[in-house]
Amino acid sequence: MIPPSPARGLCAVCRRAVSSSSSSASSTSSLLRPRLPLPASPRRYPSSSRRTYATVNEQSRGIASWPNSAHPTPYEILSAQRGAPYTKRRFYELVKVYHPDKHDHNPDLAHIPAPTRVERYRLIVAANDILSDPAKRRLYDEHGLGWTAGRAPSVHDTMRHADHAWRQRANNPAGNATWEDWERWYERRDGKTQEPMYMSNGTFATLVVALCMVGAFVQMYRADSMGAKYVDYKARHHGAIAEEMRRSSLASVGRSRDERVDEFLRDRKTSELVDMSEVYQERLRR
C-alpha cells in the first residue's frame, strides 16, 4: 500500500510551496554531489605524424648501394660532403643493411660474399668513427690519417701493428712496471728465481777510483776553458780601456787643467757603469 503524500491534505498554495522547496533541495544536493571525471578519449594523431619503423623491404630500395671506387673514402661511403655538417642518417641506413645479423634477412645482399659484407660493415663503422669526431675528421682532411680502406699500409701503420702484436704476445715484458714485475718475468722465462750478484771489494774500489778520475778530468777541462775565457775577456777589456784613454788624451790637447779634470771624472763614471753592465751580463750568461 502506498503511503499518502503529506502534501495531499494541503491547499493549492501550500502544495506549491512544498513542491518548490523539495525541488530546490534536490538541486542543492545535486550541486554538492562530486562530479566524476569523464573517461579520456584516445588521442588521434594524423596519419603523417605516426612513427614508422624500417623494414627489410624498405631497406632494399637502393640503400645497399656501394661506391664504385676500389678504395672509397669515408665521404663516399656515407654520402657526405667535405666541410658540410655530418649527420648519421646514412650511417643508420647502411648499418641496418650490412649488419652481420641482417645478412640472412636481406635478399639484395645474397650475391655479395660474406667476407665482403663484413668488410663493408667494418668500413661503415670506421667511416662514422672518423666523421663523427671533429678532431679525427680534421686530421683526415688535412693529412689523410686514420683511414686505409684496403690500401697498402704505411710504415707508421706497419710499426704500430707490429708493436701491438708484440704487446699482445704471451709472456712479453711490456707490462713490467716495477722491479718485482721484472723478477717474476725472469722467473717465468728461466724457470728459476734470479740469484743476487755480488761484487768483490777490489772491483768496487777500482770502479770508485775510475769514477773519481773521470770527474777530476772533467773538472780540469772545465777550469781550463773557463780560465781561457776569463783571460780573453780581461784582454779585450784592457784594450778597450787603453783605446779610450788614448782618445781622451788626444781630445784633451789644448784644454785647461780644470777641463781635463772634469773630462776625466766623466770618463771614469762612464767606465764604471760599463763595467757594472758587463759584469751583470756575464752573470746572466752563467
mmCIF file of all heavy atoms in Angstrom, residues 233-276:
data_model
loop_
_atom_site.group_PDB
_atom_site.id
_atom_site.type_symbol
_atom_site.label_atom_id
_atom_site.label_comp_id
_atom_site.label_asym_id
_atom_site.label_seq_id
_atom_site.Cartn_x
_atom_site.Cartn_y
_atom_site.Cartn_z
ATOM 1 N N TYR A 233 138.573 37.721 -21.956
ATOM 2 C CA TYR A 233 137.690 38.836 -21.579
ATOM 3 C C TYR A 233 138.485 39.992 -20.978
ATOM 4 O O TYR A 233 138.252 41.161 -21.320
ATOM 5 C CB TYR A 233 136.636 38.329 -20.595
ATOM 6 C CG TYR A 233 135.915 39.434 -19.870
ATOM 7 C CD1 TYR A 233 134.949 40.210 -20.508
ATOM 8 C CD2 TYR A 233 136.211 39.701 -18.528
ATOM 9 C CE1 TYR A 233 134.296 41.222 -19.839
ATOM 10 C CE2 TYR A 233 135.554 40.717 -17.850
ATOM 11 C CZ TYR A 233 134.600 41.466 -18.511
ATOM 12 O OH TYR A 233 133.962 42.488 -17.843
ATOM 13 N N LYS A 234 139.446 39.692 -20.096
ATOM 14 C CA LYS A 234 140.236 40.757 -19.472
ATOM 15 C C LYS A 234 141.106 41.461 -20.515
ATOM 16 O O LYS A 234 141.295 42.687 -20.460
ATOM 17 C CB LYS A 234 141.118 40.172 -18.367
ATOM 18 C CG LYS A 234 140.335 39.620 -17.174
ATOM 19 C CD LYS A 234 139.487 40.702 -16.516
ATOM 20 C CE LYS A 234 140.348 41.734 -15.820
ATOM 21 N NZ LYS A 234 139.537 42.734 -15.089
ATOM 22 N N ALA A 235 141.640 40.700 -21.478
ATOM 23 C CA ALA A 235 142.462 41.327 -22.521
ATOM 24 C C ALA A 235 141.620 42.293 -23.356
ATOM 25 O O ALA A 235 142.041 43.416 -23.659
ATOM 26 C CB ALA A 235 143.091 40.251 -23.404
ATOM 27 N N ARG A 236 140.437 41.885 -23.740
ATOM 28 C CA ARG A 236 139.571 42.767 -24.513
ATOM 29 C C ARG A 236 139.157 43.986 -23.689
ATOM 30 O O ARG A 236 139.081 45.109 -24.201
ATOM 31 C CB ARG A 236 138.327 41.999 -24.985
ATOM 32 C CG ARG A 236 138.623 41.012 -26.093
ATOM 33 C CD ARG A 236 137.359 40.371 -26.668
ATOM 34 N NE ARG A 236 136.780 39.386 -25.753
ATOM 35 C CZ ARG A 236 135.710 39.591 -25.013
ATOM 36 N NH1 ARG A 236 135.077 40.756 -25.061
ATOM 37 N NH2 ARG A 236 135.251 38.642 -24.221
ATOM 38 N N HIS A 237 138.929 43.769 -22.411
ATOM 39 C CA HIS A 237 138.531 44.883 -21.543
ATOM 40 C C HIS A 237 139.669 45.888 -21.386
ATOM 41 O O HIS A 237 139.455 47.118 -21.486
ATOM 42 C CB HIS A 237 138.110 44.332 -20.173
ATOM 43 C CG HIS A 237 137.630 45.377 -19.226
ATOM 44 N ND1 HIS A 237 136.490 46.130 -19.452
ATOM 45 C CD2 HIS A 237 138.149 45.813 -18.044
ATOM 46 C CE1 HIS A 237 136.318 46.972 -18.455
ATOM 47 N NE2 HIS A 237 137.332 46.804 -17.578
ATOM 48 N N HIS A 238 140.893 45.416 -21.162
ATOM 49 C CA HIS A 238 142.044 46.314 -21.038
ATOM 50 C C HIS A 238 142.328 47.042 -22.353
ATOM 51 O O HIS A 238 142.710 48.224 -22.355
ATOM 52 C CB HIS A 238 143.274 45.524 -20.593
ATOM 53 C CG HIS A 238 143.139 45.020 -19.187
ATOM 54 N ND1 HIS A 238 143.955 44.018 -18.679
ATOM 55 C CD2 HIS A 238 142.296 45.355 -18.173
ATOM 56 C CE1 HIS A 238 143.621 43.775 -17.423
ATOM 57 N NE2 HIS A 238 142.612 44.579 -17.102
ATOM 58 N N GLY A 239 142.180 46.350 -23.463
ATOM 59 C CA GLY A 239 142.367 47.005 -24.747
ATOM 60 C C GLY A 239 141.361 48.126 -24.966
ATOM 61 O O GLY A 239 141.707 49.197 -25.485
ATOM 62 N N ALA A 240 140.102 47.900 -24.552
ATOM 63 C CA ALA A 240 139.091 48.945 -24.690
ATOM 64 C C ALA A 240 139.417 50.142 -23.800
ATOM 65 O O ALA A 240 139.248 51.308 -24.199
ATOM 66 C CB ALA A 240 137.715 48.382 -24.346
ATOM 67 N N ILE A 241 139.956 49.870 -22.601
ATOM 68 C CA ILE A 241 140.314 50.972 -21.695
ATOM 69 C C ILE A 241 141.481 51.775 -22.279
ATOM 70 O O ILE A 241 141.496 53.020 -22.252
ATOM 71 C CB ILE A 241 140.658 50.424 -20.309
ATOM 72 C CG1 ILE A 241 139.395 49.842 -19.637
ATOM 73 C CG2 ILE A 241 141.258 51.507 -19.422
ATOM 74 C CD1 ILE A 241 139.663 49.161 -18.319
ATOM 75 N N ALA A 242 142.496 51.065 -22.816
ATOM 76 C CA ALA A 242 143.639 51.772 -23.397
ATOM 77 C C ALA A 242 143.213 52.625 -24.582
ATOM 78 O O ALA A 242 143.668 53.771 -24.743
ATOM 79 C CB ALA A 242 144.706 50.757 -23.817
ATOM 80 N N GLU A 243 142.326 52.103 -25.412
ATOM 81 C CA GLU A 243 141.842 52.869 -26.550
ATOM 82 C C GLU A 243 141.070 54.111 -26.098
ATOM 83 O O GLU A 243 141.203 55.198 -26.675
ATOM 84 C CB GLU A 243 140.961 51.976 -27.423
ATOM 85 C CG GLU A 243 140.437 52.660 -28.678
ATOM 86 C CD GLU A 243 141.542 53.039 -29.647
ATOM 87 O OE1 GLU A 243 142.628 52.428 -29.577
ATOM 88 O OE2 GLU A 243 141.291 53.940 -30.488
ATOM 89 N N GLU A 244 140.303 53.959 -25.053
ATOM 90 C CA GLU A 244 139.546 55.097 -24.542
ATOM 91 C C GLU A 244 140.481 56.159 -23.957
ATOM 92 O O GLU A 244 140.259 57.372 -24.146
ATOM 93 C CB GLU A 244 138.552 54.612 -23.483
ATOM 94 C CG GLU A 244 137.638 55.690 -22.929
ATOM 95 C CD GLU A 244 136.693 56.239 -23.978
ATOM 96 O OE1 GLU A 244 136.418 55.520 -24.963
ATOM 97 O OE2 GLU A 244 136.229 57.386 -23.809
ATOM 98 N N MET A 245 141.522 55.700 -23.263
ATOM 99 C CA MET A 245 142.483 56.666 -22.701
ATOM 100 C C MET A 245 143.232 57.392 -23.815
ATOM 101 O O MET A 245 143.512 58.592 -23.709
ATOM 102 C CB MET A 245 143.450 55.940 -21.777
ATOM 103 C CG MET A 245 142.807 55.433 -20.483
ATOM 104 S SD MET A 245 143.955 54.559 -19.429
ATOM 105 C CE MET A 245 145.091 55.886 -19.018
ATOM 106 N N ARG A 246 143.582 56.684 -24.866
ATOM 107 C CA ARG A 246 144.276 57.332 -25.966
ATOM 108 C C ARG A 246 143.396 58.394 -26.617
ATOM 109 O O ARG A 246 143.846 59.514 -26.898
ATOM 110 C CB ARG A 246 144.691 56.281 -26.995
ATOM 111 C CG ARG A 246 145.592 56.828 -28.120
ATOM 112 C CD ARG A 246 145.918 55.722 -29.093
ATOM 113 N NE ARG A 246 144.732 55.289 -29.801
ATOM 114 C CZ ARG A 246 144.211 55.921 -30.863
ATOM 115 N NH1 ARG A 246 144.778 57.036 -31.318
ATOM 116 N NH2 ARG A 246 143.142 55.466 -31.453
ATOM 117 N N ARG A 247 142.133 58.098 -26.824
ATOM 118 C CA ARG A 247 141.233 59.075 -27.411
ATOM 119 C C ARG A 247 141.031 60.272 -26.482
ATOM 120 O O ARG A 247 140.941 61.418 -26.921
ATOM 121 C CB ARG A 247 139.872 58.418 -27.723
ATOM 122 C CG ARG A 247 139.908 57.493 -28.933
ATOM 123 C CD ARG A 247 138.519 57.078 -29.391
ATOM 124 N NE ARG A 247 137.781 56.341 -28.377
ATOM 125 C CZ ARG A 247 136.825 56.854 -27.609
ATOM 126 N NH1 ARG A 247 136.516 58.130 -27.726
ATOM 127 N NH2 ARG A 247 136.209 56.116 -26.721
ATOM 128 N N SER A 248 141.013 59.976 -25.176
ATOM 129 C CA SER A 248 140.834 61.077 -24.223
ATOM 130 C C SER A 248 142.052 61.998 -24.206
ATOM 131 O O SER A 248 141.920 63.235 -24.122
ATOM 132 C CB SER A 248 140.584 60.507 -22.824
ATOM 133 O OG SER A 248 139.415 59.728 -22.789
ATOM 134 N N SER A 249 143.230 61.390 -24.275
ATOM 135 C CA SER A 249 144.445 62.217 -24.270
ATOM 136 C C SER A 249 144.550 63.075 -25.532
ATOM 137 O O SER A 249 144.972 64.232 -25.482
ATOM 138 C CB SER A 249 145.680 61.330 -24.136
ATOM 139 O OG SER A 249 145.764 60.425 -25.225
ATOM 140 N N LEU A 250 144.138 62.511 -26.651
ATOM 141 C CA LEU A 250 144.154 63.302 -27.883
ATOM 142 C C LEU A 250 143.113 64.426 -27.848
ATOM 143 O O LEU A 250 143.344 65.520 -28.369
ATOM 144 C CB LEU A 250 143.901 62.400 -29.087
ATOM 145 C CG LEU A 250 145.001 61.371 -29.420
ATOM 146 C CD1 LEU A 250 144.574 60.476 -30.574
ATOM 147 C CD2 LEU A 250 146.315 62.086 -29.754
ATOM 148 N N ALA A 251 141.964 64.121 -27.200
ATOM 149 C CA ALA A 251 140.911 65.137 -27.146
ATOM 150 C C ALA A 251 141.218 66.246 -26.146
ATOM 151 O O ALA A 251 140.683 67.350 -26.252
ATOM 152 C CB ALA A 251 139.579 64.477 -26.799
ATOM 153 N N SER A 252 142.093 65.945 -25.153
ATOM 154 C CA SER A 252 142.380 66.945 -24.104
ATOM 155 C C SER A 252 143.523 67.892 -24.472
ATOM 156 O O SER A 252 143.917 68.725 -23.655
ATOM 157 C CB SER A 252 142.710 66.224 -22.796
ATOM 158 O OG SER A 252 143.862 65.410 -22.941
ATOM 159 N N VAL A 253 144.071 67.727 -25.651
ATOM 160 C CA VAL A 253 145.172 68.614 -26.060
ATOM 161 C C VAL A 253 144.618 70.028 -26.245
ATOM 162 O O VAL A 253 143.629 70.236 -26.944
ATOM 163 C CB VAL A 253 145.825 68.098 -27.351
ATOM 164 C CG1 VAL A 253 146.875 69.082 -27.847
ATOM 165 C CG2 VAL A 253 146.427 66.724 -27.112
ATOM 166 N N GLY A 254 145.272 71.038 -25.609
ATOM 167 C CA GLY A 254 144.857 72.426 -25.722
ATOM 168 C C GLY A 254 143.813 72.843 -24.719
ATOM 169 O O GLY A 254 143.374 74.004 -24.747
ATOM 170 N N ARG A 255 143.395 71.930 -23.807
ATOM 171 C CA ARG A 255 142.425 72.296 -22.790
ATOM 172 C C ARG A 255 143.134 72.722 -21.501
ATOM 173 O O ARG A 255 144.282 72.359 -21.261
ATOM 174 C CB ARG A 255 141.475 71.129 -22.487
ATOM 175 C CG ARG A 255 140.585 70.746 -23.649
ATOM 176 C CD ARG A 255 139.671 69.619 -23.249
ATOM 177 N NE ARG A 255 138.801 69.203 -24.359
ATOM 178 C CZ ARG A 255 137.894 68.229 -24.246
ATOM 179 N NH1 ARG A 255 137.777 67.579 -23.094
ATOM 180 N NH2 ARG A 255 137.159 67.926 -25.278
ATOM 181 N N SER A 256 142.372 73.389 -20.655
ATOM 182 C CA SER A 256 142.937 73.799 -19.361
ATOM 183 C C SER A 256 142.919 72.631 -18.400
ATOM 184 O O SER A 256 142.340 71.575 -18.670
ATOM 185 C CB SER A 256 142.138 74.971 -18.798
ATOM 186 O OG SER A 256 140.783 74.559 -18.556
ATOM 187 N N ARG A 257 143.531 72.854 -17.234
ATOM 188 C CA ARG A 257 143.648 71.787 -16.230
ATOM 189 C C ARG A 257 142.264 71.405 -15.705
ATOM 190 O O ARG A 257 141.959 70.219 -15.530
ATOM 191 C CB ARG A 257 144.553 72.267 -15.098
ATOM 192 C CG ARG A 257 144.824 71.216 -14.017
ATOM 193 C CD ARG A 257 145.866 71.730 -13.045
ATOM 194 N NE ARG A 257 146.110 70.761 -12.007
ATOM 195 C CZ ARG A 257 145.398 70.652 -10.866
ATOM 196 N NH1 ARG A 257 144.379 71.487 -10.666
ATOM 197 N NH2 ARG A 257 145.696 69.744 -9.973
ATOM 198 N N ASP A 258 141.393 72.373 -15.423
ATOM 199 C CA ASP A 258 140.066 72.068 -14.884
ATOM 200 C C ASP A 258 139.211 71.311 -15.903
ATOM 201 O O ASP A 258 138.465 70.377 -15.549
ATOM 202 C CB ASP A 258 139.367 73.373 -14.491
ATOM 203 C CG ASP A 258 140.083 74.072 -13.335
ATOM 204 O OD1 ASP A 258 140.777 73.375 -12.579
ATOM 205 O OD2 ASP A 258 139.917 75.304 -13.208
ATOM 206 N N GLU A 259 139.330 71.671 -17.143
ATOM 207 C CA GLU A 259 138.570 70.953 -18.154
ATOM 208 C C GLU A 259 139.011 69.508 -18.294
ATOM 209 O O GLU A 259 138.188 68.603 -18.456
ATOM 210 C CB GLU A 259 138.718 71.664 -19.501
ATOM 211 C CG GLU A 259 138.039 73.026 -19.555
ATOM 212 C CD GLU A 259 138.268 73.744 -20.860
ATOM 213 O OE1 GLU A 259 139.116 73.254 -21.654
ATOM 214 O OE2 GLU A 259 137.614 74.770 -21.103
ATOM 215 N N ARG A 260 140.318 69.288 -18.175
ATOM 216 C CA ARG A 260 140.808 67.905 -18.243
ATOM 217 C C ARG A 260 140.345 67.094 -17.041
ATOM 218 O O ARG A 260 140.011 65.903 -17.172
ATOM 219 C CB ARG A 260 142.332 67.893 -18.333
ATOM 220 C CG ARG A 260 142.884 68.440 -19.650
ATOM 221 C CD ARG A 260 144.335 68.048 -19.849
ATOM 222 N NE ARG A 260 145.189 68.513 -18.765
ATOM 223 C CZ ARG A 260 145.816 69.695 -18.751
ATOM 224 N NH1 ARG A 260 145.674 70.530 -19.786
ATOM 225 N NH2 ARG A 260 146.584 70.039 -17.743
ATOM 226 N N VAL A 261 140.339 67.739 -15.860
ATOM 227 C CA VAL A 261 139.868 67.009 -14.665
ATOM 228 C C VAL A 261 138.393 66.642 -14.801
ATOM 229 O O VAL A 261 137.966 65.516 -14.484
ATOM 230 C CB VAL A 261 140.113 67.857 -13.401
ATOM 231 C CG1 VAL A 261 139.425 67.221 -12.192
ATOM 232 C CG2 VAL A 261 141.601 67.989 -13.132
ATOM 233 N N ASP A 262 137.562 67.568 -15.270
ATOM 234 C CA ASP A 262 136.138 67.261 -15.457
ATOM 235 C C ASP A 262 135.923 66.139 -16.479
ATOM 236 O O ASP A 262 135.096 65.243 -16.288
ATOM 237 C CB ASP A 262 135.408 68.525 -15.919
ATOM 238 C CG ASP A 262 135.370 69.586 -14.841
ATOM 239 O OD1 ASP A 262 135.549 69.217 -13.650
ATOM 240 O OD2 ASP A 262 135.171 70.765 -15.180
ATOM 241 N N GLU A 263 136.688 66.185 -17.556
ATOM 242 C CA GLU A 263 136.588 65.125 -18.558
ATOM 243 C C GLU A 263 136.986 63.774 -18.000
ATOM 244 O O GLU A 263 136.356 62.736 -18.286
ATOM 245 C CB GLU A 263 137.462 65.482 -19.761
ATOM 246 C CG GLU A 263 137.365 64.503 -20.920
ATOM 247 C CD GLU A 263 136.015 64.555 -21.588
ATOM 248 O OE1 GLU A 263 135.293 65.570 -21.441
ATOM 249 O OE2 GLU A 263 135.667 63.562 -22.277
ATOM 250 N N PHE A 264 138.030 63.755 -17.170
ATOM 251 C CA PHE A 264 138.477 62.500 -16.542
ATOM 252 C C PHE A 264 137.406 61.937 -15.630
ATOM 253 O O PHE A 264 137.152 60.720 -15.610
ATOM 254 C CB PHE A 264 139.777 62.756 -15.783
ATOM 255 C CG PHE A 264 140.220 61.580 -14.953
ATOM 256 C CD1 PHE A 264 140.786 60.469 -15.548
ATOM 257 C CD2 PHE A 264 140.030 61.576 -13.567
ATOM 258 C CE1 PHE A 264 141.175 59.384 -14.788
ATOM 259 C CE2 PHE A 264 140.424 60.480 -12.816
ATOM 260 C CZ PHE A 264 141.003 59.389 -13.420
ATOM 261 N N LEU A 265 136.803 62.797 -14.826
ATOM 262 C CA LEU A 265 135.762 62.318 -13.908
ATOM 263 C C LEU A 265 134.561 61.752 -14.679
ATOM 264 O O LEU A 265 133.991 60.731 -14.291
ATOM 265 C CB LEU A 265 135.323 63.461 -12.993
ATOM 266 C CG LEU A 265 136.392 63.955 -11.996
ATOM 267 C CD1 LEU A 265 135.860 65.150 -11.199
ATOM 268 C CD2 LEU A 265 136.831 62.843 -11.058
ATOM 269 N N ARG A 266 134.165 62.424 -15.751
ATOM 270 C CA ARG A 266 133.045 61.904 -16.545
ATOM 271 C C ARG A 266 133.386 60.555 -17.181
ATOM 272 O O ARG A 266 132.568 59.626 -17.182
ATOM 273 C CB ARG A 266 132.675 62.912 -17.641
ATOM 274 C CG ARG A 266 131.924 64.128 -17.116
ATOM 275 C CD ARG A 266 131.266 64.888 -18.269
ATOM 276 N NE ARG A 266 132.247 65.361 -19.226
ATOM 277 C CZ ARG A 266 132.830 66.549 -19.166
ATOM 278 N NH1 ARG A 266 132.531 67.404 -18.173
ATOM 279 N NH2 ARG A 266 133.699 66.933 -20.085
ATOM 280 N N ASP A 267 134.602 60.424 -17.686
ATOM 281 C CA ASP A 267 135.011 59.151 -18.283
ATOM 282 C C ASP A 267 135.069 58.038 -17.249
ATOM 283 O O ASP A 267 134.697 56.886 -17.535
ATOM 284 C CB ASP A 267 136.360 59.308 -18.972
ATOM 285 C CG ASP A 267 136.280 60.216 -20.188
ATOM 286 O OD1 ASP A 267 135.142 60.445 -20.663
ATOM 287 O OD2 ASP A 267 137.341 60.694 -20.646
ATOM 288 N N ARG A 268 135.558 58.354 -16.063
ATOM 289 C CA ARG A 268 135.638 57.321 -15.029
ATOM 290 C C ARG A 268 134.256 56.839 -14.617
ATOM 291 O O ARG A 268 134.037 55.622 -14.422
ATOM 292 C CB ARG A 268 136.391 57.866 -13.822
ATOM 293 C CG ARG A 268 136.651 56.796 -12.750
ATOM 294 C CD ARG A 268 137.483 57.338 -11.621
ATOM 295 N NE ARG A 268 136.749 58.374 -10.892
ATOM 296 C CZ ARG A 268 137.232 58.992 -9.803
ATOM 297 N NH1 ARG A 268 138.447 58.676 -9.335
ATOM 298 N NH2 ARG A 268 136.532 59.934 -9.193
ATOM 299 N N LYS A 269 133.314 57.761 -14.486
ATOM 300 C CA LYS A 269 131.968 57.362 -14.122
ATOM 301 C C LYS A 269 131.338 56.505 -15.222
ATOM 302 O O LYS A 269 130.671 55.490 -14.957
ATOM 303 C CB LYS A 269 131.119 58.604 -13.881
ATOM 304 C CG LYS A 269 129.734 58.285 -13.335
ATOM 305 C CD LYS A 269 128.989 59.561 -12.992
ATOM 306 C CE LYS A 269 127.622 59.218 -12.405
ATOM 307 N NZ LYS A 269 126.863 60.440 -12.025
ATOM 308 N N THR A 270 131.581 56.899 -16.451
ATOM 309 C CA THR A 270 131.043 56.116 -17.567
ATOM 310 C C THR A 270 131.656 54.720 -17.617
ATOM 311 O O THR A 270 130.967 53.721 -17.856
ATOM 312 C CB THR A 270 131.307 56.851 -18.889
ATOM 313 O OG1 THR A 270 130.761 58.166 -18.816
ATOM 314 C CG2 THR A 270 130.689 56.101 -20.055
ATOM 315 N N SER A 271 132.956 54.611 -17.383
ATOM 316 C CA SER A 271 133.621 53.303 -17.398
ATOM 317 C C SER A 271 133.124 52.416 -16.281
ATOM 318 O O SER A 271 132.992 51.198 -16.442
ATOM 319 C CB SER A 271 135.136 53.485 -17.309
ATOM 320 O OG SER A 271 135.486 54.102 -16.073
ATOM 321 N N GLU A 272 132.848 53.020 -15.109
ATOM 322 C CA GLU A 272 132.303 52.213 -14.009
ATOM 323 C C GLU A 272 130.934 51.649 -14.368
ATOM 324 O O GLU A 272 130.629 50.475 -14.090
ATOM 325 C CB GLU A 272 132.212 53.070 -12.750
ATOM 326 C CG GLU A 272 133.569 53.427 -12.141
ATOM 327 C CD GLU A 272 133.414 54.336 -10.932
ATOM 328 O OE1 GLU A 272 132.266 54.738 -10.650
ATOM 329 O OE2 GLU A 272 134.434 54.637 -10.283
ATOM 330 N N LEU A 273 130.110 52.457 -15.010
ATOM 331 C CA LEU A 273 128.795 51.951 -15.428
ATOM 332 C C LEU A 273 128.924 50.843 -16.459
ATOM 333 O O LEU A 273 128.197 49.847 -16.426
ATOM 334 C CB LEU A 273 127.960 53.097 -15.988
ATOM 335 C CG LEU A 273 127.556 54.189 -14.986
ATOM 336 C CD1 LEU A 273 126.819 55.320 -15.704
ATOM 337 C CD2 LEU A 273 126.690 53.605 -13.886
ATOM 338 N N VAL A 274 129.880 51.013 -17.374
ATOM 339 C CA VAL A 274 130.092 49.974 -18.390
ATOM 340 C C VAL A 274 130.563 48.690 -17.748
ATOM 341 O O VAL A 274 130.121 47.583 -18.088
ATOM 342 C CB VAL A 274 131.085 50.476 -19.456
ATOM 343 C CG1 VAL A 274 131.476 49.328 -20.390
ATOM 344 C CG2 VAL A 274 130.481 51.623 -20.246
ATOM 345 N N ASP A 275 131.479 48.802 -16.777
ATOM 346 C CA ASP A 275 131.972 47.599 -16.092
ATOM 347 C C ASP A 275 130.843 46.891 -15.352
ATOM 348 O O ASP A 275 130.746 45.653 -15.367
ATOM 349 C CB ASP A 275 133.083 47.979 -15.114
ATOM 350 C CG ASP A 275 134.331 48.459 -15.845
ATOM 351 O OD1 ASP A 275 134.437 48.165 -17.048
ATOM 352 O OD2 ASP A 275 135.175 49.136 -15.204
ATOM 353 N N MET A 276 129.997 47.634 -14.706
ATOM 354 C CA MET A 276 128.888 47.016 -13.976
ATOM 355 C C MET A 276 127.928 46.303 -14.929
ATOM 356 O O MET A 276 127.455 45.201 -14.639
ATOM 357 C CB MET A 276 128.141 48.083 -13.181
ATOM 358 C CG MET A 276 128.950 48.664 -12.008
ATOM 359 S SD MET A 276 128.056 49.961 -11.137
ATOM 360 C CE MET A 276 126.661 49.041 -10.535
#
